[in-house]
Amino acid sequence: MENVLSILFCLSLFYLAITLRLRTYVTFLRMQGILLSVLLIFPFINHFSVHALIIPAILFVVKVVLIPKYINKIITDMDIRKSIEPTIQQFSFLLIVIFTMILIFLGSSVLSKSTDIAPIPFASGFSAIVVGLYIIIFRKSLIVHVVGFLVLENGIFLFGLSVASEMPMLIEIGTLLDVFVVVFLMGIALNKISTTISGSDATALRRLKD
Amino acid sequence: MLELTLLLILPVLATLICSLIKSFRLQYAITLSVAGLHLLTSFAIFINILQPTLPYFFSTDALSKLFILVLSNVYFWVVLVSYSFLKKDVPLKGQRSKKYYFALLNFYLLANSIAILSNHFGMYWVATEATTLSVAPLIYYYRNKESLEALWKYLFLVSIGIALAFLGILFLTLSAKGGVLEGKQLFFSEFVRQAKSLNPVWLKASFIFIFVGLSTKIGIAPMHPGDVDATSNAPSPIAALMSGSLRVTALLGVLRIFQIVRFTPTYDFARLILIIGGVLSLIVTFIFMFKVKNYKRLLAYSSVEHLGIIALGIGTGGIAFIGALYHIIYNSINKIVLFLSAGNVHLRYKTRQIDGVSSALNILPWSGWLLLLAFFAISGVPPFGIFFSELKIFEGILFSENPWLLAMVMFLLLFIFINMGKKIFLMLYRKDDNLVVNTEKEKFDISHFVSILLLVILIAIAVFSPDVLSKNILAIAKDFGVKL
Amino acid sequence: MEIINIIQGAISLLLILALAPMLVGIVNKQKAVFTGRIGAPILQPYYDLKRLFRKETINANSSSMISRISPVINIVTVILAAAMLPVGFAKPLISFNGDIIVFAYILGLARFFQILAAMDIGSSFEGMGASREATFAVFAEPIFFFTIGSIAFISNYTSIYDIYQSIRLDNLSFIIFIIVCSTSVSILAITECSRMPVDDPNTHLELTMIHEVMILDNSGIDLFLYQYSSYIKLAIYAILETSFFYPLGVKNYPLGLLIFIVIILFLSVALALAETITARFKLKSIPQYLLFATAIGILNLLIYTFTK
């Protein structure tokens, strides 16, 4: 089942690579959050225990409800164009993403022979990290940078699931809380940026140079 | 339990109280007393009066003791200076920042204390992320466009860096699979003990990711821009705090993974990465010192340079490692003095450009002379401490397997010294007849008092070389397997 | 067994040839109903074909032999391709190892000659359509190979009939795999048959035509052959799509055929709905649309072959 959800995760990454609309980014963030929550609940599907549901529930609330709502609010407040200008062609971007994913999957299958990891969530998580970095590098609008950062975090989370590391519950909650507060602060900063500095592109942030 | 209270629970209470009450005096009093108690506690732990017994999630080995003392020290002096700094005039928009200044400072203390004292990688990571969050609004103190941009860049770059560091921690978990440590949690002490059972490939990947990720926060090349921007645009107490203690907390993470790697085959690789990072920072500082026009940015690049020297020292090992540890202490003390003096200059001249400042020695005698002395201190002039620590580091490099590195390092440091000196001397001595500035004589202020005290401490530690300190540092060196 | 196979294969081919125009008529009627019109009757394509059969064929002065032979090559290749498809899981008339390659490239031959004929007429209108068609064909070809090819890779067969025979919808991940493959193939079908959102089959404006513009200057028997071959192409791709889901049916031949036809009707509803709702993409966004389908195919291939 993890394989299926990881595949859907990768498909969402492809779509994120070619879409141009801001609201679609937020929708896909929601979708990724739902996929991750289902992935967390899945091992416990036979023996329900309240203890096991706490983290998926918090994950769901933070990643599917709170953060996308907050980003939507930022988009509305900032009143920016609903579509963004790409710096490189969509086609080339998707091509780069495909090549990277091929490399990552190849690497993951080679590694899975020597180490005990689940190869597909491993590769999906890692490619989400790389796609998040690509989104940050190749897009100019700052909101999209925030979305890219969130995709990066989702990828790290999926990667962590595949590695099956045991983190105490408190630290997982702390991680989620950190991500939320970081996005919150970024949102406030973006709000101020849009009101004081004209334009909400990364090219507007040019004052601090040597 | 007493120590836990003093070190951790008090800052929590102080944060809550400071965010609720409105009087600055009261906030200042509470923060100062918490800072004072924190300093006393960490000092007592350091000289072994108090033997703390903390839950297993925390550790108090020699490294933690040293670093928490550094943190407490820097924090205390910064808080002491903060009240008079806050009373000085700021643009109207900045009035709002004063309200949460102390609350955030206390939160900063809490987050850093947890990070330094933690024994668990996950907890360290959460606490480090929390320190970023606590410092970010403080960078935005002046509420102008430059500080907004600095805030954005810092927050964004450091968050990405810390996310990458988390990836490195996950790789560490991977390296534990198939061995004794599998499935156990990420405790430092466990990992250090069982280091040989870790998979070397994943360990290498883990080291790289943690190093690169945390280097955004430490501020060494190639990820230094966010940090440099933030340090140069923050108000001077905050900049002093960041230079003195925030980088040190991030450096602790790298040191921990370095400690794990020490007794495994990945050790040489890790050393190489550290040396490359250090030399790269020096090269970057060398290049940018020619171009920099803003004196706070100058000081920020100086921070990059010194953290690079520290990384170089750690990577070289041997006596350079000891020198690096001393350098951490001296650097943080020195930076406070530098930034306080620079802050005073900024308040009088109202500009951060080097060209806008002239005859600082005449107009601001106290701050000018202190800036001059602090500049000499940071460049390694005896009897200030940095001379001794840099000497140890150079000795270590000379006797390591790359003695030619020393020639390159000294060349770079020479030019950095020349450029930095030129710009500071221009600020202090240049006569400019078109200067329009308030020329009333400078009054002796608490920041001057603190600066003088710190410079004296700097000389004292170096010259008298207290036994306790050297014992602690030797214990750390033993933990790291450094052979003298 | 052999005779029964041949008879079933022949019946399949005849069914396709006979009912392909009706499929197009059904789709058009549904589109009309969805938009609130009454629309043309379902058998309208048959009337169109009959009308065209009687008309005179006119060729341009500047055209050469290519324009004469191209419609014939089109119809012949398309009928050959249709003969390779399993309808209702009857063994097709032409089926041998490696016939997916022949299938893809026979249809490619048809397209090649259509493009040549379009350029042969000498008008820039058709030349524009030819260049667009050539571009999209380049991006559409990998889709076919990555999706059908990945199923071929997994099942170790290389004949279309064998590949589709081997699809067993037993575990969930394979079902998801098939669903994702069928999404890719539907994007391919839309491109090859010049449907929305890649090409608008209703308009005749120079900004919006791709397929229509290439046959703009043909008339009479030529046009009859071109139209008929495009109807059969739509039927071919509908069958390719349906065969993904057919394992839900039974192996009994007449009942299977019935279920097959029902599934095709569902697909026609889906096509009509999609055509009604979507507008045509900007021409420069079509390559990335096709690359998206290819990406899905590549992803499927990677996951299922590297985890076998």
Side-chain angles (χ1 to χ4, degrees):
Chain A
M1 184 63 176
E2 290 105 33
N3 292 350
V4 173
L5 292 170
S6 311
I7 298 170
L8 293 176
F9 201 84
C10 286
L11 290 181
S12 76
L13 289 178
F14 280 140
Y15 198 82
L16 274 178
I18 68 172
T19 187
L20 278 177
R21 281 192 265 152
L22 276 174
R23 302 276 180 194
T24 318
Y25 278 109
V26 180
T27 317
F28 271 86
L29 275 181
R30 269 192 232 258
M31 193 178 106
Q32 285 183 349
I34 295 179
L35 283 174
L36 286 177
S37 314
V38 171
L39 256 178
L40 270 183
I41 296 184
F42 190 69
F44 302 105
I45 217 163
N46 288 327
H47 37 276
F48 265 140
S49 70
V50 183
H51 182 77
L53 282 182
I54 295 184
I55 295 198
I58 297 184
L59 186 76
F60 186 84
V61 166
V62 171
K63 283 201 197 264
V64 179
V65 177
L66 286 178
I67 291 186
K69 216 188 226 180
Y70 186 65
I71 297 189
N72 270 331
K73 179 166 161 310
I74 298 176
I75 296 179
T76 324
D77 283 343
M78 280 175 71
D79 194 28
I80 46 189
R81 288 194 311 268
K82 293 293 189 277
S83 80
I84 55 177
E85 297 279 326
T87 47
I88 63 173
Q89 288 293 345
Q90 297 296 79
F91 183 75
S92 343
F93 192 46
L94 188 56
L95 211 54
I96 295 176
V97 168
I98 293 178
F99 273 130
T100 320
M101 254 202 217
I102 293 179
L103 285 174
I104 293 175
F105 271 86
L106 279 174
S108 138
S109 74
V110 164
L111 284 170
S112 67
K113 294 190 181 58
S114 54
T115 336
D116 168 39
I117 49 174
I120 294 183
F122 182 87
S124 301
F126 203 75
S127 38
I129 293 172
V130 175
V131 169
L133 280 175
Y134 280 158
I135 292 180
I136 294 177
I137 297 174
F138 285 116
R139 299 272 186 246
K140 283 191 299 198
S141 165
L142 292 175
I143 275 279
V144 181
H145 284 182
V146 178
V147 170
F149 174 69
L150 286 167
V151 171
L152 186 93
E153 288 280 338
N154 282 346
I156 293 185
F157 199 84
L158 186 59
F159 191 80
L161 281 179
S162 81
V163 164
S165 64
E166 295 289 321
M167 290 272 189
M169 197 164 76
L170 206 59
I171 293 191
E172 294 231 354
I173 296 181
T175 315
L176 287 172
L177 203 65
D178 272 335
V179 172
F180 178 63
V181 178
V182 164
V183 174
F184 187 70
L185 280 180
M186 285 190 195
I188 296 182
L190 271 179
N191 218 343
K192 296 265 188 300
I193 288 181
S194 72
T195 52
T196 57
I197 305 180
S198 61
S200 67
D201 287 352
T203 51
L205 300 180
R206 267 182 281 112
R207 292 162 171 274
L208 299 177
K209 274 217 199 304
D210 274 324
Chain B
M1 202 49 211
L2 171 69
E3 303 83 16
L4 191 69
T5 316
L6 284 173
L7 287 176
L8 297 179
I9 301 186
L10 271 185
V12 176
L13 290 174
T15 316
L16 290 171
I17 298 180
C18 283
S19 50
L20 291 175
I21 62 179
K22 297 234 190 304
S23 151
F24 285 143
R25 289 213 154 165
L26 208 49
Q27 286 183 0
Y28 176 57
I30 292 180
T31 314
L32 190 60
S33 33
V34 168
L37 281 171
H38 202 268
L39 180 59
L40 284 174
T41 318
S42 25
F43 192 66
I45 295 179
F46 188 70
I47 57 180
N48 292 323
I49 294 181
L50 282 176
Q51 306 281 13
T53 51
L54 298 175
Y56 193 51
F57 266 79
F58 297 97
S59 88
T60 47
D61 62 345
L63 197 60
S64 299
K65 285 188 203 168
L66 180 67
F67 275 49
I68 195 126
L69 185 62
V70 168
L71 166 72
S72 302
N73 189 27
V74 173
Y75 183 74
F76 177 74
W77 298 115
V78 167
V79 170
L80 190 60
V81 175
S82 291
Y83 186 62
S84 70
F85 170 76
L86 281 186
K87 277 205 304 189
K88 304 217 169 83
D89 52 322
V90 281
L92 195 56
K93 288 197 276 186
Q95 298 291 341
R96 281 190 293 176
S97 320
K98 290 190 192 175
K99 282 188 239 165
Y100 50 74
Y101 184 86
F102 282 111
L104 279 173
L105 270 186
N106 279 305
F107 185 57
Y108 176 86
L109 181 66
L110 174 71
N112 267 313
S113 309
I114 296 182
I116 294 181
L117 289 175
S118 78
N119 195 13
H120 187 275
F121 258 115
M123 193 164 88
Y124 172 78
W125 187 84
V126 172
T128 313
E129 178 99 32
T131 61
T132 314
L133 298 174
S134 68
V135 142
L138 290 171
I139 298 177
Y140 189 45
Y141 185 79
Y142 289 120
R143 299 198 174 230
N144 52 7
K145 294 188 188 173
E146 282 84 14
S147 54
L148 184 58
E149 186 179 330
L151 163 69
W152 173 260
K153 282 195 181 155
Y154 182 71
L155 192 59
F156 199 70
L157 284 174
V158 170
S159 299
I160 295 182
I162 295 201
L164 288 180
F166 192 68
L167 195 59
I169 295 178
L170 287 176
F171 278 141
L172 194 63
T173 322
L174 258 184
S175 73
K177 276 198 190 230
V180 168
L181 289 167
E182 175 157 10
K184 279 217 208 138
Q185 307 203 13
L186 293 161
F187 289 112
F188 286 135
S189 35
E190 295 270 348
F191 267 75
V192 169
R193 257 184 287 149
Q194 310 280 2
K196 294 205 182 26
S197 66
L198 296 173
N199 185 334
V201 172
W202 291 116
L203 204 55
K204 266 193 205 160
S206 164
F207 185 81
I208 289 200
F209 272 95
I210 292 185
F211 179 70
V212 170
L214 283 179
S215 73
T216 50
K217 214 163 156 64
I218 302 178
I220 52 184
M223 307 289 205
H224 63 284
D227 205 37
V228 165
D229 285 337
T231 315
S232 60
N233 280 301
S236 32
I238 304 297
L241 197 62
M242 282 176 66
S243 281
S245 73
L246 197 57
R247 298 167 194 257
V248 163
T249 311
L251 190 64
L252 181 68
V254 175
L255 278 175
R256 290 290 189 199
I257 183 84
F258 192 65
Q259 191 176 0
I260 294 178
V261 170
R262 172 69 184 90
F263 295 106
T264 67
T266 321
Y267 178 58
D268 295 311
F269 177 73
R271 284 181 58 200
L272 182 67
I273 299 277
L274 277 171
I275 293 179
I276 291 180
V279 173
L280 215 55
S281 311
L282 286 175
I283 295 179
V284 161
T285 315
F286 167 74
I287 295 176
F288 280 98
M289 277 297 190
F290 283 100
K291 292 175 51 174
V292 71
K293 293 193 189 48
N294 171 337
Y295 54 86
K296 279 209 173 159
R297 220 169 154 80
L298 182 84
L299 295 178
Y301 275 116
S302 165
S303 283
V304 171
E305 168 204 347
H306 283 281
L307 264 296
I309 295 179
I310 294 175
L312 193 59
I314 297 175
T316 313
I319 196 166
F321 185 82
I322 311 251
L325 289 174
Y326 275 107
H327 200 95
I328 293 177
I329 307 173
Y330 297 142
N331 177 53
S332 38
I333 297 180
N334 210 335
K335 280 291 182 308
I336 305 179
V337 183
L338 274 173
F339 275 106
L340 287 181
S341 316
N344 283 332
V345 170
H346 183 214
L347 275 168
R348 180 58 71 95
Y349 286 84
K350 306 257 184 283
T351 171
R352 285 204 179 105
Q353 303 292 90
I354 294 181
D355 293 332
V357 176
S358 351
S359 312
L361 217 45
N362 279 335
I363 299 182
L364 295 172
W366 288 106
S367 301
W369 278 106
L370 283 169
L371 187 62
L372 190 61
L373 282 176
F375 163 67
F376 282 137
I378 199 90
S379 308
V381 169
F384 296 105
I386 294 208
F387 170 71
F388 299 101
S389 59
E390 276 191 0
L391 199 61
K392 288 199 185 67
I393 295 180
F394 292 158
E395 191 183 329
I397 300 179
L398 185 61
F399 290 119
S400 73
E401 54 258 9
N402 320 306
W404 49 268
L405 202 58
L406 184 61
M408 184 157 108
V409 166
M410 299 203 83
F411 173 77
L412 295 170
L413 283 181
L414 173 69
F415 275 94
I416 294 176
F417 170 70
I418 293 178
N419 273 314
M420 195 170 165
K422 178 171 99 172
K423 296 186 172 138
I424 291 189
F425 284 171
L426 274 176
M427 284 203 305
L428 293 174
Y429 286 103
R430 170 177 57 194
K431 217 167 157 46
D432 186 354
D433 295 317
N434 300 333
L435 189 58
V436 168
V437 84
N438 183 359
T439 50
E440 68 177 60
K441 275 295 181 196
E442 190 182 19
K443 287 197 280 277
F444 186 74
D445 200 337
I446 192 166
S447 62
H448 304 128
F449 173 69
V450 166
S451 306
I452 296 180
L453 192 59
L454 283 174
L455 284 175
V456 167
I457 293 180
L458 202 56
I459 303 181
I461 298 183
V463 169
F464 293 120
S465 191
D467 240 357
V468 174
L469 184 59
S470 52
K471 260 202 288 230
N472 184 302
I473 291 192
L474 283 173
I476 299 179
K478 196 163 73 84
D479 275 340
F480 276 77
V482 168
K483 300 182 208 5
L484 288 168
Chain C
M1 269 331 277
E2 281 295 324
I3 306 285
I4 295 196
N5 278 339
I6 295 183
I7 294 182
Q8 283 181 344
I11 295 182
S12 309
L13 184 59
L14 285 174
L15 269 180
I16 295 179
L17 292 183
L19 295 182
M22 189 181 307
L23 181 64
V24 176
I26 293 177
V27 171
N28 284 337
K29 181 78 169 172
Q30 284 173 349
K31 271 166 62 172
V33 166
F34 286 147
T35 51
R37 299 178 277 129
I38 297 186
I42 291 187
L43 298 180
Q44 182 63 30
Y46 291 107
Y47 303 145
D48 281 338
L49 288 176
K50 189 166 121 181
R51 169 178 54 99
L52 285 173
F53 199 71
R54 287 195 314 238
K55 299 264 183 178
E56 177 190 1
T57 307
I58 301 185
N59 290 117
N61 271 342
S62 51
S63 64
S64 68
M65 168 196 75
I66 303 264
S67 296
R68 324 274 189 272
I69 65 175
S70 163
V72 178
I73 293 187
N74 253 328
I75 193 75
V76 165
T77 52
V78 165
I79 293 182
L80 278 178
M84 291 195 209
L85 288 179
V87 174
F89 275 99
K91 198 167 158 72
L93 273 182
I94 309 178
S95 169
F96 48 89
N97 271 339
D99 67 12
I100 42 170
I101 313 259
V102 179
F103 178 78
Y105 285 112
I106 276 193
L107 287 175
L109 192 69
R111 192 183 323 125
F112 176 62
F113 270 97
Q114 201 166 22
I115 295 178
L116 274 188
M119 297 201 303
D120 189 47
I121 297 181
S123 154
S124 57
F125 232 45
E126 279 86 353
M128 170 193 82
S131 73
R132 288 177 184 173
E133 174 80 16
T135 315
F136 298 152
V138 165
F139 293 117
E141 191 169 311
I143 305 180
F144 181 77
F145 283 112
F146 275 118
T147 40
I148 309 272
S150 63
I151 315 184
F153 204 86
I154 294 176
S155 60
N156 276 326
Y157 291 117
T158 48
S159 161
I160 292 190
Y161 174 64
D162 295 328
I163 291 173
Y164 279 105
Q165 275 281 49
S166 70
I167 295 179
R168 302 249 174 283
L169 296 178
D170 37 16
N171 59 340
L172 180 64
S173 51
F174 202 58
I175 293 181
I176 302 271
F177 174 61
I178 292 294
I179 292 181
V180 172
C181 271
S182 66
T183 323
S184 270
V185 172
S186 70
I187 296 183
L188 175 68
I190 290 176
T191 315
E192 289 277 338
C193 307
S194 309
R195 293 268 144 196
M196 298 278 240
V198 169
D199 177 19
D200 195 343
N202 283 336
T203 71
H204 286 82
L205 307 168
E206 73 189 43
L207 289 178
T208 62
M209 296 189 286
I210 300 176
H211 173 79
E212 291 291 319
V213 73
M214 292 196 291
I215 55 177
L216 202 61
D217 273 338
N218 293 307
S219 55
I221 299 277
D222 286 351
L223 191 56
F224 163 79
L225 291 175
Y226 275 132
Q227 292 278 49
Y228 194 37
S229 61
S230 79
Y231 296 156
I232 301 180
K233 244 199 202 173
L234 182 63
I236 290 179
Y237 279 100
I239 294 175
L240 268 185
E241 183 80 18
T242 319
S243 308
F244 277 119
F245 299 111
Y246 185 66
L248 301 171
V250 292
K251 287 300 168 80
N252 181 358
Y253 184 60
L255 191 57
L257 205 56
L258 203 59
I259 295 182
F260 200 79
I261 294 183
V262 167
I263 299 181
I264 290 193
L265 285 178
F266 271 128
L267 279 185
S268 76
V269 173
L271 180 63
L273 207 55
E275 287 218 330
T276 317
I277 300 178
T278 60
R280 216 204 56 180
F281 285 159
K282 282 199 270 197
L283 276 182
K284 62 177 182 171
S285 338
I286 296 184
Q288 73 216 28
Y289 178 63
L290 296 173
L291 190 61
F292 181 65
T294 318
I296 298 179
I298 296 181
L299 185 68
N300 265 330
L301 188 65
L302 280 177
I303 292 182
Y304 281 93
T305 55
F306 283 120
T307 61
K308 263 290 165 238

